[in-house]
Amino acid sequence: ARAAAEPSSISGIAVIDVEKVFNALVERNDMQQQLQAYLTQLNDELKKLDGEAKAAFETARALPDGAEKNSAVQKAIEMQATAQARKQVFEALADRRSSESFRQLFAKISAGGRKIAETRGLNLGIATDENVSVPVGASSTDVQRGISLKRIVYASPTLDITDALIQLLNSEYTKK
């Protein structure tokens, strides 16, 4: 918890384009490549399971009617259900890994923004959304929602520490 402090006037404000930072980070690109490799591995495993299930169905079709065929069809159905269940599990695992990567990067962005702000004697860092536009041609409800979600209408470019933050985070990452 934060300790209570005497109220003070804000002596300096910084704005950060978080989306621009995310898109410019070398670490994010590396994380995306790792995630893609993970997804490829999962997809390869799914293709294998699916192929095995299809082969089991083909084998069952070739058998003469009877108990052996019924048993083979049942096994093929179970294999197909297992492949489908694995697909759902793999999608959830991939989504979890992706969201955890974004959470970790945002924590680094926040810490880096704080570091720059403190170094420059700034008291407030705000994620800017001034470049986010209100939708054109949308319903009045969507336009009103877009307007109400905007937090910043204008910020002087002199307040923007986005590029400095990108440089800091990329420098720290590449040093590792």
Side-chain angles (χ1 to χ4, degrees):
R2 264 189 163 159
E6 290 294 316
S8 65
S9 62
I10 297 176
S11 62
I13 297 173
V15 295
I16 300 166
D17 184 339
V18 175
E19 183 177 358
K20 181 178 178 183
V21 176
F22 264 113
N23 291 332
L25 292 180
V26 173
E27 185 173 5
R28 177 177 183 250
N29 294 335
D30 288 350
M31 285 179 160
Q32 283 183 315
Q33 288 176 355
Q34 291 168 1
L35 180 62
Q36 189 57 48
Y38 179 68
L39 291 174
T40 299
Q41 176 187 356
L42 295 180
N43 282 328
D44 289 347
E45 189 173 335
L46 285 175
K47 285 178 187 175
K48 179 182 172 197
L49 291 171
D50 189 50
E52 290 171 354
K54 286 179 182 178
F57 273 114
E58 291 300 318
T59 300
R61 281 190 192 107
L63 294 173
D65 288 344
E68 184 180 2
K69 182 173 188 163
N70 290 341
S71 177
V73 168
Q74 182 178 345
K75 181 179 177 184
I77 290 170
E78 289 173 2
M79 291 172 76
Q80 186 178 43
T82 298
Q84 290 171 349
R86 281 266 175 93
K87 181 180 180 192
Q88 290 177 342
V89 169
F90 289 168
E91 287 171 353
L93 290 173
D95 185 62
R96 185 173 189 283
R97 184 175 281 200
S98 179
S99 64
E100 182 61 22
S101 294
F102 280 124
R103 190 194 65 73
Q104 288 174 3
L105 283 177
F106 185 70
K108 289 179 180 183
I109 290 169
S110 295
R114 181 181 184 143
K115 185 177 188 178
I116 291 171
E118 288 175 347
T119 300
R120 295 182 181 187
L122 305 173
N123 294 323
L124 180 64
I126 301 172
T128 184
D129 62 357
E130 70 176 315
N131 293 326
V132 176
S133 61
V134 176
V136 175
S139 69
S140 62
T141 303
D142 288 342
V143 170
Q144 287 176 345
R145 184 179 304 116
I147 291 168
S148 68
L149 291 174
K150 292 225 13 115
R151 297 174 308 264
I152 297 176
V153 176
Y154 171 76
S156 169
T158 60
L159 301 176
D160 194 333
I161 63 169
T162 301
D163 291 335
L165 180 56
I166 291 167
Q167 185 177 1
L168 171 72
L169 294 176
N170 281 339
S171 175
E172 287 178 351
Y173 178 70
T174 55
K175 285 180 184 176
K176 292 180 180 180

